[in-house]
Amino acid sequence: MSEQSFLDHRGRPRVVVTGIGCKTPAGHTPEDLISVLRSGKSMAAPITLFDASNEPITFACEVPDFDPVPYFGIKDARRQDRVAQLGFAAAADAIEDAGNIGADPDRCSIIASTGIGGLYTLEANTEIYLTKGPLRVSPFVIPMLMPNATAGVISMRFGWTGPAICVATACAAGTMAIGEGARMIRDGSSDVVAAGGTEYAITRIGIAAFSRMTALSNHNDDPANASRPFDAQRNGFVLAEGAAFTVLESLERAVGRGAHVYGEIAGYGRNSDAFHITAPSPGGTGAAACMQGALDDAGLLARDIGHINAHGTSTQLNDIAESQAIDKVFGENSPPVTSNKGSLGHMIAGAGASEAISTLLALRDGLVPPTANFETPGEGINIDVVHGESRAVPAAPAISNSFGFGGHNASLVILPAP
């Protein structure tokens, strides 16, 4: 390739993904993830991580058969909250997948996102404090519950001495981690970035709190059909756990070391609604501006986009706002739209990162997975929702969206492998 082809339309290094790893309700690998998404199957089921029989919501999307011991050993696994266990495992898989990176550790960085952090550790030790007293509280509580724990564990385990950053922008965090990682490659501050997100909030307080704010679907009698993005019968999201990470580097570096390239992070938009702590801005104005920002960053027009991996949570307000935002940016000829959350539930910070991976694999294979449980578009939903079966699409750029509580918005423009 010529030297010029390693630069984007603004003369910046082109950023590519050379490693992917995930632990999701679909399974433990990216191929598990895309297989379940293409099947249109929902992974929502009764909670097994604790006895939820007396909880207001009794189901969720759990990572099946996850064992942290192979990644940590028995002793160290006990000193990590499940959120960091999942996050490190996904990051370790992504770094292994990237092959012989061969970079200076000072030039290797981590951006690990989480919306909540070690909620289980806080909940469990609060109960210990109340029932057994302060002297029985674990000395590891603070390092286990702090949101930056995952970033710290990854850096220490791999000896990466570049910046290890935590992004905590709720449901937008995983997408922002990848976008900010791409910026670090572009500006030359890092040669390699492991970027992604992790979440574990399927706890008693997590279920109760999300339920009290009426964010969760209450279909306890039919978990598999509870998450229904953009559907007329949607009534809330299904809480999920999981983690996903990518390895980012410049195209020039990837080609130079003969790395496998999954795709390119060509555009990144992020902004704030400045409207409400949980509700999206009216008409999806913030989301629309975010998508347009990602397009501008990539040097593309709306008509260049082949499909959209939507935030699509299955809540009333979010789905309408996102549909309106898509209409603002793309008009009547909007591209096909899919939401992974019909199958996987909502992994909070893990969602955007796993959706970026599923978008990369959709572009690799030219197949957009269906939106599970979508049957009839809800009122105000005027977009082309892929449903029923996967849809073949041309090799065109895609957008992956994440919009979080607090009014945080993030969008990525992802290109097929060059």
Side-chain angles (χ1 to χ4, degrees), residues 53-142:
S53 57
N54 293 322
E55 305 301 326
I57 306 299
T58 61
F59 64 97
C61 291
E62 300 174 345
V63 177
D65 304 318
F66 174 65
D67 182 5
V69 172
Y71 292 91
F72 290 95
I74 295 174
K75 181 180 178 181
D76 286 347
R78 291 173 177 169
R79 295 179 176 180
Q80 308 294 333
D81 188 277
R82 188 171 169 99
V83 71
Q85 293 174 352
L86 290 164
F88 175 76
D93 287 355
I95 292 169
E96 180 180 5
D97 184 49
N100 184 18
I101 292 173
D104 181 347
D106 290 345
R107 302 280 300 167
C108 294
S109 303
I110 300 108
I111 305 184
S113 67
T114 183
I116 301 171
L119 183 61
Y120 173 78
T121 293
L122 178 60
E123 180 179 314
N125 280 271
T126 298
E127 185 174 346
I128 290 171
Y129 175 88
L130 294 173
T131 58
K132 298 180 180 180
L135 296 182
R136 297 297 297 276
V137 170
S138 169
F140 298 102
V141 168
I142 297 302

Side-chain angles (χ1 to χ4, degrees), residues 77-245:
R78 291 173 177 169
R79 295 179 176 180
Q80 308 294 333
D81 188 277
R82 188 171 169 99
V83 71
Q85 293 174 352
L86 290 164
F88 175 76
D93 287 355
I95 292 169
E96 180 180 5
D97 184 49
N100 184 18
I101 292 173
D104 181 347
D106 290 345
R107 302 280 300 167
C108 294
S109 303
I110 300 108
I111 305 184
S113 67
T114 183
I116 301 171
L119 183 61
Y120 173 78
T121 293
L122 178 60
E123 180 179 314
N125 280 271
T126 298
E127 185 174 346
I128 290 171
Y129 175 88
L130 294 173
T131 58
K132 298 180 180 180
L135 296 182
R136 297 297 297 276
V137 170
S138 169
F140 298 102
V141 168
I142 297 302
M144 288 174 70
L145 69 83
M146 62 188 190
N148 61 308
T150 303
V153 170
I154 297 169
S155 68
M156 288 183 284
R157 290 260 165 176
F158 287 97
W160 288 10
T161 50
I165 299 168
C166 173
V167 173
T169 48
C171 316
T175 296
M176 279 193 169
I178 296 172
E180 295 300 326
R183 287 168 58 88
M184 293 174 74
I185 301 296
R186 282 175 172 178
D187 69 20
S189 60
S190 293
D191 291 336
V192 177
V193 179
T198 183
E199 209 74 70
Y200 172 56
I202 305 175
T203 71
R204 288 181 173 85
I205 192 66
I207 290 290
F210 277 115
S211 174
R212 284 291 292 155
M213 66 186 299
T214 67
L216 299 183
S217 171
N218 59 5
H219 289 320
N220 288 320
D221 57 338
D222 189 16
N225 290 297
S227 183
R228 313 181 66 86
F230 302 112
D231 188 80
Q233 300 302 314
R234 70 191 187 280
N235 78 333
F237 67 78
V238 175
L239 190 59
E241 62 168 342
F245 272 78

Side-chain angles (χ1 to χ4, degrees), residues 386-413:
V386 179
H387 63 285
E389 61 183 8
S390 296
R391 186 182 302 182
V393 294
I399 283 184
S400 185
N401 288 332
S402 293
F403 310 127
F405 287 167
H408 307 289
N409 303 313
S411 297
L412 296 172
V413 173

Side-chain angles (χ1 to χ4, degrees), residues 4 13 34-35 69 81 95 198 225 249 356 375-376:
Q4 189 64 31
I34 199 65
S35 176
V69 172
D81 188 277
I95 292 169
T198 183
N225 290 297
E249 56 190 301
E375 294 178 353
T376 304

